[in-house]
Amino acid sequence: MYFSLLLLHSFFRWMVVISLLFAIGRSFRAWVNKLPFTSTDNTIRHLTATIAHIQLAIGYVLYFNSPLVTYFRSHYREAIAQADYRFFGLLHVLLMTTGVIVITIGSSVAKRMETDQGKFRTMALLFLAGLLIIFIAIPWPFSPLAHRPYLRTF
């Protein structure tokens, strides 16, 4: 089950990135052009936050079942000095949680804003901040923190 969830987590990251890019692009365009906030925009806001939450839930299951994290927790002094263990045992989970919290706040605050431009501005800025945090925390092949392939296969 662990490897199936790891594969799902790897593929699902693209849904998070794509949904955030789409929501941010649509929000910036609507904010700049002073467009009305429609039910489609509300659905995009909600789905983007939901996709991020699903990915975070999968990530938590993996985190608490990961052999890397188990080693990190049981051999903290040695593991903290090694980049891969430090990244997956500490940085990845903290940054991803923070990123999803920022997206959740953006979604929640935008939902309650009274003006359409306020909704778009809030979504654009907070979703962008969340995406930047998440982007740093993804173990891209080019990342100096940890390296994983773009798509994980077994």
Side-chain angles (χ1 to χ4, degrees):
M1 182 173 119
Y2 176 79
F3 291 107
S4 298
L5 282 175
L6 194 58
L7 183 64
L8 181 64
H9 190 64
S10 178
F11 283 109
F12 214 79
R13 98 169 99 166
W14 293 106
M15 290 182 66
V16 172
V17 170
I18 290 167
S19 68
L20 279 168
L21 288 172
F22 182 73
I24 291 164
R26 188 171 170 103
S27 296
F28 269 116
R29 184 181 64 81
W31 178 23
V32 168
N33 295 321
K34 299 186 181 350
L35 300 176
F37 192 85
T38 65
S39 62
T40 301
D41 296 311
N42 192 50
T43 300
I44 290 168
R45 175 199 59 77
H46 179 71
L47 282 176
T48 300
T50 301
I51 289 168
H53 286 129
I54 291 168
Q55 176 71 337
L56 186 65
I58 295 167
Y60 281 157
V61 172
L62 286 170
Y63 181 80
F64 290 106
N65 291 291
S66 168
L68 277 156
V69 175
T70 300
Y71 179 84
F72 177 81
R73 288 192 310 239
S74 61
H75 301 90
Y76 179 79
R77 290 186 192 270
E78 297 86 25
I80 197 74
Q82 298 175 37
D84 254 17
Y85 289 112
R86 182 177 53 244
F87 180 79
F88 288 107
L90 186 63
L91 296 175
H92 185 66
V93 70
L94 288 176
L95 287 173
M96 287 299 183
T97 301
T98 303
V100 173
I101 288 170
V102 170
I103 292 164
T104 303
I105 291 169
S107 177
S108 181
V109 170
K111 179 180 176 181
R112 289 164 178 76
M113 295 294 284
E114 292 185 19
T115 67
D116 291 348
Q117 298 315 300
K119 291 178 184 194
F120 287 126
R121 181 183 64 244
T122 301
M123 277 178 57
L125 296 177
L126 289 177
F127 280 16
L128 180 60
L131 177 63
L132 291 174
I133 294 167
I134 287 171
F135 192 82
I136 291 167
I138 292 175
W140 300 107
F142 55 84
S143 174
L145 301 173
H147 311 289
R148 294 295 184 268
Y150 287 114
L151 285 175
R152 194 172 197 102
T153 57
F154 295 98

